[in-house]
Amino acid sequence: MSHFFGTLKRLFGVGEDRPPDLDATLAALHKKTPVPVFWMIGKTQSGKTSIIKFLTGADDAVIGSGFRPTTRTTRRYEFPTAEAPLLEFLDTRGLDEPRYNPAADIEALDPIAHVVIVTAKATDFAQGNIRAILESIRDVNPSRPVVLCITTLHEAIPRQPHPTPYPFRGVWNQETGDSNQGTGGGNATESISDSWLLPPGSSVSDDLRRCIEHHAKEFAGLFDVLVPIDLTKPDDGFEEPNYGGEQLKSVLLHVLPDAYRQTMLRLKEATDTLKDIHLQHAIPIILGYSTLAGTAGGVPMPFVDMALIPAIQARMAHHLAGVYGQPMTTERFREIVAAVGIGLVSRQLARQATKFIPFVGSAVGAAVGAASTYALGRALCYYFESVCEGHVPDATSLKAYYQEQYKAAEKNWAKK
């Protein structure tokens, strides 16, 4: 028993929550997968978050909570996590404020951004401030690709479907156009109107065509390729919610430097690799805490384990959060435990009664303590992995996963 409490003392006295080799493993992964950095320029509600959501597959809530301040007017979103990013997005805000000066943002972001993505709503023609800021960015680094996205196309054609199949082949900057680039390509001598390269009989309405051509003229000389997109929610009722999304992805893959292009092409593979790395480091931690909780559950004195096991599980949660590079607040831990812990109190109280039965009670207590801790640890990994992929798992799926892991672990510990 003294050895057990000595272990507890050492456990709760430790300050480092990351396995010593994890940082080296993540650094090796980072070296193999250079991170593309996209600088988002556009007004609020112009579609920047929708583009991030499409490219990463992350939920709005995860993206919103994942942004971190970079400068006074710019924030950064690193996907899937800040400690092991595979894609980065820089969002400059306050562009419409009269006193906004882009100098500080340009100084901070110019050295790290690979592509500038400009967003302009199809029906919003007041883009003077955005153009002026883009001119400053372009002056500093004229060779960096700029992709102009015309968004929310449905606002230009209310109550009408999107033209299908997707007819826009790309509008390349007249000054830097390349007939072999992108999904179509322009020619340096073409007019903006001719460079649309719409096929004969295209179903694009005149209203939508005029809106897009207006933006092409407004930003003439400041972009490399223009892509019309309309990234909507599934319940908005459009046949294709990610209209133009694949075309945008194709353009980004084309303009990115080769090494960074490979990261984007292999995003799913890289995300799965990151998930495996985290789980490999998490499993030994879970097993260690589960063994400790099993020892606490086997203490023959009733109700002692009801104080020890929750403390052990809380410490494990913080340890695993450190492995995954994610915060673990008290509120977050309570939410997760509440999602998986329906029935835990009654099960623990029932277990206390068995403690009055010699030998049997300790064996039952040990199995339940170990199994519940193991299942909670695996549920926490499931939660963190889902957040890394851009989704917060709902309580039902989290509880189902916990129960599945609990049943398997309980059988395993019962055999010991």
Side-chain angles (χ1 to χ4, degrees):
M1 187 64 68
S2 61
H3 174 72
F4 167 67
F5 283 107
T7 302
L8 275 180
K9 183 176 180 181
R10 290 193 301 274
L11 176 67
F12 287 93
V14 76
E16 179 57 57
D17 284 339
R18 292 170 66 84
D21 61 332
L22 178 56
D23 288 330
T25 304
L26 292 176
L29 175 64
H30 183 71
K31 188 175 181 179
K32 294 179 182 178
T33 52
V35 181
V37 180
F38 301 102
W39 188 355
M40 314 294 290
I41 300 292
K43 294 182 180 180
T44 303
Q45 302 297 320
S46 64
K48 291 179 289 184
T49 299
S50 296
I51 291 175
I52 297 174
K53 182 177 180 180
F54 173 75
L55 294 177
T56 63
D59 296 335
D60 288 336
V62 174
I63 295 172
S65 61
F67 273 109
R68 299 182 298 112
T70 301
T71 68
R72 188 179 64 84
T73 53
T74 298
R75 54 184 186 165
R76 179 195 304 244
Y77 175 62
E78 296 158 303
F79 176 84
T81 66
E83 69 155 10
L86 297 172
L87 295 178
E88 291 189 23
F89 300 89
L90 308 171
D91 177 22
T92 301
R93 301 170 294 167
L95 303 183
D96 266 350
E97 295 178 3
R99 297 181 180 178
Y100 174 75
N101 186 337
D105 287 333
I106 292 174
E107 181 180 1
L109 307 183
D110 176 71
I112 59 177
H114 301 111
V115 178
V116 175
I117 300 177
V118 181
T119 55
K121 295 177 72 171
T123 56
D124 183 0
F125 303 136
Q127 298 292 330
N129 287 348
I130 305 300
R131 177 182 171 83
I133 294 164
L134 187 57
E135 286 176 342
S136 299
I137 294 173
R138 192 74 157 177
D139 287 343
V140 171
N141 190 346
S143 64
R144 177 175 43 219
V146 175
V147 178
L148 174 61
C149 294
I150 308 304
T151 66
T152 59
L153 305 182
H154 63 275
E155 293 185 359
I157 47 173
R159 298 181 297 278
Q160 296 181 44
H162 293 125
T164 55
Y166 184 85
F168 309 108
R169 299 180 185 176
V171 179
W172 292 85
N173 185 326
Q174 286 70 39
E175 296 179 3
T176 60
D178 183 342
S179 59
N180 296 318
Q181 297 190 79
T183 54
N187 185 289
T189 62
E190 290 178 327
S191 69
I192 291 175
S193 222
D194 293 333
S195 67
W196 271 109
L197 299 177
L198 288 170
S202 169
S203 58
V204 176
S205 72
D206 289 340
D207 287 340
L208 179 56
R209 186 192 301 264
R210 281 193 291 268
C211 287
I212 298 174
E213 289 181 354
H214 173 90
H215 289 295
K217 293 177 181 177
E218 175 77 12
F219 289 97
L222 295 176
F223 66 90
D224 295 286
V225 60
L226 183 153
V227 185
I229 60 174
D230 204 353
L231 307 178
T232 58
K233 297 179 180 179
D235 54 9
D236 286 341
F238 294 98
E239 184 176 347
E240 175 50 68
N242 295 320
Y243 188 76
E246 290 301 325
Q247 286 74 16
L248 172 61
K249 186 180 293 185
S250 176
V251 166
L252 294 176
L253 286 171
H254 178 83
V255 300
L256 275 171
D258 287 343
Y260 300 93
R261 181 185 309 136
Q262 292 305 311
T263 298
M264 195 167 174
L265 281 169
R266 299 172 54 229
L267 184 61
K268 179 63 168 63
E269 179 184 339
T271 303
D272 288 343
T273 299
L274 185 60
K275 185 189 302 184
D276 291 341
I277 290 172
H278 283 141
L279 191 60
Q280 288 170 9
H281 287 83
I283 290 297
I285 294 169
I286 295 172
L287 291 174
Y289 281 99
S290 300
T291 301
L292 195 60
T295 303
V299 174
M301 294 177 289
F303 305 109
V304 170
D305 57 341
M306 290 190 70
L308 291 176
I309 291 178
I312 292 170
Q313 292 175 343
R315 178 60 179 149
M316 177 183 68
H318 284 279
H319 202 158
L320 291 174
V323 169
Y324 282 87
Q326 297 191 33
M328 175 54 70
T329 62
T330 301
E331 292 75 16
R332 194 181 203 183
F333 179 65
R334 286 174 178 170
E335 288 175 3
I336 296 173
V337 170
V340 304
I342 304 300
L344 279 180
V345 174
S346 59
R347 186 158 59 240
Q348 282 199 343
L349 290 175
R351 189 173 77 241
Q352 301 310 312
T354 66
K355 292 284 182 85
F356 294 99
I357 305 175
F359 305 111
V360 174
S362 294
V364 172
V368 172
S372 63
T373 302
Y374 178 85
L376 178 59
R378 292 304 303 269
L380 286 164
C381 290
Y382 174 74
Y383 177 90
F384 290 135
E385 288 171 359
S386 297
V387 172
C388 281
E389 292 175 341
H391 314 287
V392 177
D394 60 79
T396 301
S397 61
L398 196 59
K399 182 180 178 181
Y401 186 84
Y402 170 86
Q403 291 177 338
E404 175 188 334
Q405 294 295 321
Y406 179 85
K407 290 176 182 178
E410 190 174 36
K411 288 180 182 178
N412 182 58
W413 255 275
K415 296 176 183 177
K416 295 184 177 181

